[in-house]
Each structure stands twice: as structure tokens, then as C-alpha cells.
Amino acid sequence: MLMVHPSSSPWLHSPPTLTLPSCSSWLVTVWLRDVPRHWMDSYRPGRPLVVCGLLPHEQQMSVVHAVLHKGSDQPLASKTPLVLQCGFRRFRCRPIFSEHYRGNKQKWLRFFPPEGVCVASTYAPILFPPAPVLAFKELSDGSLELVATGSLLSVSPDRVIVKRTLLSGIPAKMRGKTVVVRQMFYNREDVDWFTPVELRTKHGRKGHIKEALGTHGAIKCLFDRPLQSQDTVLMPLYKRIFPPWSYEQHTGPAPLENMMAQ
């Protein structure tokens, strides 16, 4: 809670009972209530304390997307715990990485690409682009290492991030363009569910499922060209994913101050 009063009034040893709006060029005294104990323990007297106001809806949570450039040679996997300095906010999270292209669907990345850029997505309070973003990784000794820099891209839960996986099968019998594939499914119900999905092989053949054979997952497929005996039949599948709910406000020393102290 913030309460201000003109500094020209007599000094008050307790919070004022009347809240007044502050005007331009006023010198004011700010009273803070219900300050967490751990924040007071980490506060350094003599350092400036920045107080800012929030626009409407900035206290609500949403999916925040930031474009990052990698600043470290170490591999960085999705869902790695990071400390993000996004604008005036600093928080811990476990973002997921995705490609940065035009389009309505973006592919999920298992690791931060060593060169180029990617988009980090996480749940966080609403911010407005283009806020600067710094990503830090916490080391075992409690210090922080700068791993990426960038800016805020957007705040939208409508950005679709899809995870790609492949189901593989082995050609068991081949007769021209017709092939019997095994070890891709293990029951007839799964075959009936995935029948509309297109098939492809490692050598570039394309095809589709004609029917299920038996009750143990064998399928009869038809391809555009005959297959080779060493080929593998693949079925690409896509699933929409969201970042984990891992937001935690970081109230320790500022990352840059920590790095300069070292």
C-alpha cells in the first residue's frame, strides 16, 4: 500500500491517515506496508529504491514471449530454471523455447540453438513490448551467469507452440507399392485413430494407411513408389504444449550488481 503526503507538512512518525494524490514537482514521503522480511534482509541502505506505478491489467498473469539471443557457449535446454530481468520485473521461471518465424504455428525446440535467435515463453505478469530482457542462470554457488539477452515479443496465450514426435515402423512384407508395416502400433484401436495421418519414409516415399491387419497393430499401407528393404516408415505427430507454471518472484540482489561484485 502506498500513501504520500507533501514533504512541506510537519514530519510524521506514523503513516498518515489521509491519502493524497501526488502532483508534479512535489517532494513526497512514501510509506510501504506489509513489506516481506526477506526483502528487508536483502535491501542495501544507500542504494536507490525505484518505485513505479502499474498500468491496468499489469498484475494479471498471461503467457509472455521474449526473443532471445544466446550469450553463452553452454547448452541450454527447455524448462531450465532461469532468472529473467524483464523490464522492471525480476522473477524465476522455466521457459520453453520455440522457433521465431512468421506463421500461426511455431515448432518447440529441445535446446536453445547455438546460433541465431529463438523465443522463450513462460507464465508471468503482463508486460508491454519492447521491454528489454536479460536471462540469467543460477550456478551452484548462488551466483548468476548471463546466458541470453533480448526483448519482449508479445503477451498472448494464442501463440501456438507444437511439439513434434515420430512414430516408426518396420516394413515386414513388400509387394510393389503395397507394404505391410509392423511395430508402429500394437492394437487395432490406435490404427483406426491414426488412419487419416499421412506416412512417409526416410528415403522420401509418401503414403497412407489402407487398413488394419489383425488385432496386434499390423497395418497395410500404400505408397507412391516401391520401398527398399532397409527403409523405415515414419508417422509425424504434433501436439500443442504450454510452458510449466513456474513463476516465482525474485527478491534477491540485482543480477548485474551480483556480477559486478564478483
Side-chain angles (χ1 to χ4, degrees):
M1 180 178 181
L2 292 179
M3 292 182 292
V4 299
H5 64 89
S7 295
S8 58
S9 62
W11 179 261
L12 297 178
H13 297 283
S14 61
T17 58
L18 179 61
T19 302
L20 301 176
S22 60
C23 299
S24 177
S25 72
W26 271 23
L27 295 177
V28 299
T29 301
V30 180
W31 298 83
L32 300 177
R33 281 185 176 177
D34 302 327
V35 177
R37 180 67 183 181
H38 58 84
W39 186 88
M40 293 300 301
D41 294 338
S42 62
Y43 175 67
R44 299 180 183 179
R47 294 295 181 91
L49 177 63
V50 179
V51 179
C52 60
L54 296 178
L55 296 175
H57 311 297
E58 276 194 300
Q59 290 185 346
Q60 299 184 11
M61 303 291 290
S62 184
V63 184
V64 177
H65 310 282
V67 180
L68 298 180
H69 303 258
K70 194 172 184 182
S72 175
D73 296 333
Q74 298 181 2
L76 192 63
S78 285
K79 301 183 181 180
T80 300
L82 298 176
V83 176
L84 293 186
Q85 179 74 44
C86 189
F88 63 92
R89 296 186 185 271
R90 184 166 69 250
F91 52 89
R92 291 187 179 93
C93 63
R94 296 169 54 205
I96 60 174
F97 303 134
S98 59
E99 295 178 340
H100 182 38
Y101 294 112
R102 292 183 178 179
N104 56 356
K105 298 180 180 65
Q106 306 296 331
K107 181 181 175 183
W108 172 75
L109 299 177
R110 190 176 300 272
F111 288 91
F112 199 117
E115 297 180 359
V117 299
C118 73
V119 176
S121 304
T122 185
Y123 285 102
I126 292 177
L127 294 161
F128 293 93
V133 178
L134 300 177
F136 299 88
K137 184 178 181 180
E138 290 188 281
L139 304 180
S140 57
D141 58 353
S143 60
L144 298 175
E145 179 186 5
L146 182 64
V147 294
T149 60
S151 61
L152 191 65
L153 175 64
S154 64
V155 178
S156 173
D158 297 331
R159 189 175 190 270
V160 180
I161 302 175
V162 293
K163 181 179 180 180
R164 179 174 179 266
T165 186
L166 289 175
L167 299 182
S168 61
I170 300 175
K173 297 180 181 179
M174 293 180 291
R175 186 175 181 180
K177 299 180 182 180
T178 304
V179 180
V180 176
V181 179
R182 300 184 184 275
Q183 299 184 13
M184 179 176 288
F185 303 103
Y186 294 92
N187 57 72
R188 191 181 185 93
E189 291 75 12
D190 289 345
V191 176
D192 296 337
W193 179 265
F194 291 103
T195 295
V197 182
E198 185 182 23
L199 301 175
R200 66 179 183 84
T201 70
K202 288 187 176 180
H203 290 79
R205 309 294 191 266
K206 294 183 180 181
H208 62 274
I209 299 175
K210 290 185 64 178
E211 60 179 345
L213 301 177
T215 60
H216 298 283
I219 53 178
K220 180 185 289 186
C221 307
L222 179 64
F223 290 88
D224 55 351
R225 286 180 293 175
L227 268 64
Q228 301 178 6
S229 59
Q230 69 272 18
D231 209 344
T232 303
V233 180
L234 303 174
M235 176 181 287
L237 300 177
Y238 298 89
K239 174 186 176 182
R240 185 180 182 182
I241 61 173
F242 290 89
W245 187 275
S246 57
Y247 174 82
E248 179 184 357
Q249 187 175 357
H250 187 274
T251 56
L256 293 181
E257 293 180 4
N258 196 353
M259 296 173 60
M260 294 175 63
Q262 297 177 358

PDB file of all heavy atoms in Angstrom, residues 190-202:
ATOM      1  N   ASP A 190      -5.666 -48.040 -31.977  1.00  0.00           N
ATOM      2  CA  ASP A 190      -4.728 -46.993 -32.370  1.00  0.00           C
ATOM      3  C   ASP A 190      -4.642 -46.872 -33.887  1.00  0.00           C
ATOM      4  O   ASP A 190      -4.513 -45.758 -34.437  1.00  0.00           O
ATOM      5  CB  ASP A 190      -3.343 -47.280 -31.786  1.00  0.00           C
ATOM      6  CG  ASP A 190      -3.299 -47.072 -30.288  1.00  0.00           C
ATOM      7  OD1 ASP A 190      -4.226 -46.437 -29.750  1.00  0.00           O
ATOM      8  OD2 ASP A 190      -2.338 -47.546 -29.650  1.00  0.00           O
ATOM      9  N   VAL A 191      -4.692 -47.968 -34.588  1.00  0.00           N
ATOM     10  CA  VAL A 191      -4.647 -47.918 -36.053  1.00  0.00           C
ATOM     11  C   VAL A 191      -5.849 -47.160 -36.599  1.00  0.00           C
ATOM     12  O   VAL A 191      -5.722 -46.296 -37.482  1.00  0.00           O
ATOM     13  CB  VAL A 191      -4.592 -49.341 -36.634  1.00  0.00           C
ATOM     14  CG1 VAL A 191      -4.654 -49.297 -38.170  1.00  0.00           C
ATOM     15  CG2 VAL A 191      -3.321 -50.050 -36.188  1.00  0.00           C
ATOM     16  N   ASP A 192      -7.038 -47.448 -36.077  1.00  0.00           N
ATOM     17  CA  ASP A 192      -8.244 -46.755 -36.546  1.00  0.00           C
ATOM     18  C   ASP A 192      -8.177 -45.254 -36.248  1.00  0.00           C
ATOM     19  O   ASP A 192      -8.677 -44.431 -37.032  1.00  0.00           O
ATOM     20  CB  ASP A 192      -9.478 -47.365 -35.884  1.00  0.00           C
ATOM     21  CG  ASP A 192      -9.693 -48.817 -36.290  1.00  0.00           C
ATOM     22  OD1 ASP A 192      -9.181 -49.203 -37.370  1.00  0.00           O
ATOM     23  OD2 ASP A 192     -10.345 -49.553 -35.531  1.00  0.00           O
ATOM     24  N   TRP A 193      -7.560 -44.880 -35.125  1.00  0.00           N
ATOM     25  CA  TRP A 193      -7.495 -43.465 -34.746  1.00  0.00           C
ATOM     26  C   TRP A 193      -6.540 -42.686 -35.640  1.00  0.00           C
ATOM     27  O   TRP A 193      -6.822 -41.554 -36.030  1.00  0.00           O
ATOM     28  CB  TRP A 193      -7.069 -43.354 -33.281  1.00  0.00           C
ATOM     29  CG  TRP A 193      -6.941 -41.942 -32.785  1.00  0.00           C
ATOM     30  CD1 TRP A 193      -5.808 -41.185 -32.721  1.00  0.00           C
ATOM     31  CD2 TRP A 193      -8.001 -41.107 -32.308  1.00  0.00           C
ATOM     32  NE1 TRP A 193      -6.072 -39.937 -32.237  1.00  0.00           N
ATOM     33  CE2 TRP A 193      -7.419 -39.852 -31.966  1.00  0.00           C
ATOM     34  CE3 TRP A 193      -9.369 -41.281 -32.135  1.00  0.00           C
ATOM     35  CZ2 TRP A 193      -8.176 -38.802 -31.467  1.00  0.00           C
ATOM     36  CZ3 TRP A 193     -10.115 -40.239 -31.636  1.00  0.00           C
ATOM     37  CH2 TRP A 193      -9.512 -39.012 -31.300  1.00  0.00           C
ATOM     38  N   PHE A 194      -5.394 -43.281 -36.002  1.00  0.00           N
ATOM     39  CA  PHE A 194      -4.369 -42.568 -36.770  1.00  0.00           C
ATOM     40  C   PHE A 194      -4.421 -42.881 -38.265  1.00  0.00           C
ATOM     41  O   PHE A 194      -3.494 -42.499 -38.999  1.00  0.00           O
ATOM     42  CB  PHE A 194      -2.973 -42.929 -36.247  1.00  0.00           C
ATOM     43  CG  PHE A 194      -2.677 -42.382 -34.874  1.00  0.00           C
ATOM     44  CD1 PHE A 194      -2.724 -43.206 -33.762  1.00  0.00           C
ATOM     45  CD2 PHE A 194      -2.363 -41.042 -34.705  1.00  0.00           C
ATOM     46  CE1 PHE A 194      -2.460 -42.701 -32.496  1.00  0.00           C
ATOM     47  CE2 PHE A 194      -2.097 -40.533 -33.448  1.00  0.00           C
ATOM     48  CZ  PHE A 194      -2.155 -41.369 -32.331  1.00  0.00           C
ATOM     49  N   THR A 195      -5.467 -43.503 -38.744  1.00  0.00           N
ATOM     50  CA  THR A 195      -5.555 -43.831 -40.177  1.00  0.00           C
ATOM     51  C   THR A 195      -5.491 -42.597 -41.080  1.00  0.00           C
ATOM     52  O   THR A 195      -4.849 -42.634 -42.139  1.00  0.00           O
ATOM     53  CB  THR A 195      -6.841 -44.634 -40.450  1.00  0.00           C
ATOM     54  OG1 THR A 195      -6.752 -45.892 -39.784  1.00  0.00           O
ATOM     55  CG2 THR A 195      -7.034 -44.864 -41.944  1.00  0.00           C
ATOM     56  N   PRO A 196      -6.119 -41.444 -40.762  1.00  0.00           N
ATOM     57  CA  PRO A 196      -6.057 -40.296 -41.681  1.00  0.00           C
ATOM     58  C   PRO A 196      -4.679 -39.641 -41.790  1.00  0.00           C
ATOM     59  O   PRO A 196      -4.484 -38.811 -42.694  1.00  0.00           O
ATOM     60  CB  PRO A 196      -7.071 -39.311 -41.083  1.00  0.00           C
ATOM     61  CG  PRO A 196      -7.940 -40.117 -40.192  1.00  0.00           C
ATOM     62  CD  PRO A 196      -7.061 -41.199 -39.650  1.00  0.00           C
ATOM     63  N   VAL A 197      -3.728 -39.959 -40.913  1.00  0.00           N
ATOM     64  CA  VAL A 197      -2.437 -39.279 -40.910  1.00  0.00           C
ATOM     65  C   VAL A 197      -1.570 -39.820 -42.047  1.00  0.00           C
ATOM     66  O   VAL A 197      -1.495 -41.035 -42.281  1.00  0.00           O
ATOM     67  CB  VAL A 197      -1.718 -39.469 -39.555  1.00  0.00           C
ATOM     68  CG1 VAL A 197      -0.389 -38.716 -39.545  1.00  0.00           C
ATOM     69  CG2 VAL A 197      -2.605 -38.987 -38.409  1.00  0.00           C
ATOM     70  N   GLU A 198      -0.889 -38.911 -42.743  1.00  0.00           N
ATOM     71  CA  GLU A 198      -0.027 -39.289 -43.861  1.00  0.00           C
ATOM     72  C   GLU A 198       1.255 -39.946 -43.349  1.00  0.00           C
ATOM     73  O   GLU A 198       1.785 -39.578 -42.300  1.00  0.00           O
ATOM     74  CB  GLU A 198       0.311 -38.063 -44.696  1.00  0.00           C
ATOM     75  CG  GLU A 198       1.114 -38.374 -45.955  1.00  0.00           C
ATOM     76  CD  GLU A 198       1.474 -37.114 -46.742  1.00  0.00           C
ATOM     77  OE1 GLU A 198       1.488 -36.038 -46.126  1.00  0.00           O
ATOM     78  OE2 GLU A 198       1.742 -37.229 -47.948  1.00  0.00           O
ATOM     79  N   LEU A 199       1.756 -40.895 -44.114  1.00  0.00           N
ATOM     80  CA  LEU A 199       3.002 -41.589 -43.807  1.00  0.00           C
ATOM     81  C   LEU A 199       4.105 -41.111 -44.737  1.00  0.00           C
ATOM     82  O   LEU A 199       3.850 -40.642 -45.845  1.00  0.00           O
ATOM     83  CB  LEU A 199       2.839 -43.106 -43.955  1.00  0.00           C
ATOM     84  CG  LEU A 199       1.772 -43.791 -43.093  1.00  0.00           C
ATOM     85  CD1 LEU A 199       1.674 -45.259 -43.470  1.00  0.00           C
ATOM     86  CD2 LEU A 199       2.102 -43.638 -41.620  1.00  0.00           C
ATOM     87  N   ARG A 200       5.347 -41.246 -44.269  1.00  0.00           N
ATOM     88  CA  ARG A 200       6.499 -41.001 -45.123  1.00  0.00           C
ATOM     89  C   ARG A 200       7.628 -41.919 -44.660  1.00  0.00           C
ATOM     90  O   ARG A 200       7.554 -42.528 -43.584  1.00  0.00           O
ATOM     91  CB  ARG A 200       6.943 -39.544 -45.063  1.00  0.00           C
ATOM     92  CG  ARG A 200       7.494 -39.087 -43.728  1.00  0.00           C
ATOM     93  CD  ARG A 200       7.925 -37.634 -43.781  1.00  0.00           C
ATOM     94  NE  ARG A 200       8.522 -37.174 -42.536  1.00  0.00           N
ATOM     95  CZ  ARG A 200       9.797 -37.349 -42.209  1.00  0.00           C
ATOM     96  NH1 ARG A 200      10.619 -37.982 -43.048  1.00  0.00           N
ATOM     97  NH2 ARG A 200      10.257 -36.906 -41.054  1.00  0.00           N
ATOM     98  N   THR A 201       8.678 -41.998 -45.465  1.00  0.00           N
ATOM     99  CA  THR A 201       9.819 -42.847 -45.129  1.00  0.00           C
ATOM    100  C   THR A 201      11.097 -42.010 -45.114  1.00  0.00           C
ATOM    101  O   THR A 201      11.107 -40.854 -45.551  1.00  0.00           O
ATOM    102  CB  THR A 201       9.969 -43.998 -46.139  1.00  0.00           C
ATOM    103  OG1 THR A 201      10.400 -43.454 -47.400  1.00  0.00           O
ATOM    104  CG2 THR A 201       8.655 -44.733 -46.328  1.00  0.00           C
ATOM    105  N   LYS A 202      12.160 -42.604 -44.624  1.00  0.00           N
ATOM    106  CA  LYS A 202      13.440 -41.900 -44.563  1.00  0.00           C
ATOM    107  C   LYS A 202      14.009 -41.635 -45.948  1.00  0.00           C
ATOM    108  O   LYS A 202      14.837 -40.742 -46.119  1.00  0.00           O
ATOM    109  CB  LYS A 202      14.444 -42.714 -43.743  1.00  0.00           C
ATOM    110  CG  LYS A 202      14.141 -42.722 -42.252  1.00  0.00           C
ATOM    111  CD  LYS A 202      15.249 -43.395 -41.460  1.00  0.00           C
ATOM    112  CE  LYS A 202      14.982 -43.297 -39.966  1.00  0.00           C
ATOM    113  NZ  LYS A 202      16.057 -43.946 -39.169  1.00  0.00           N
TER     114      LYS A 202
END
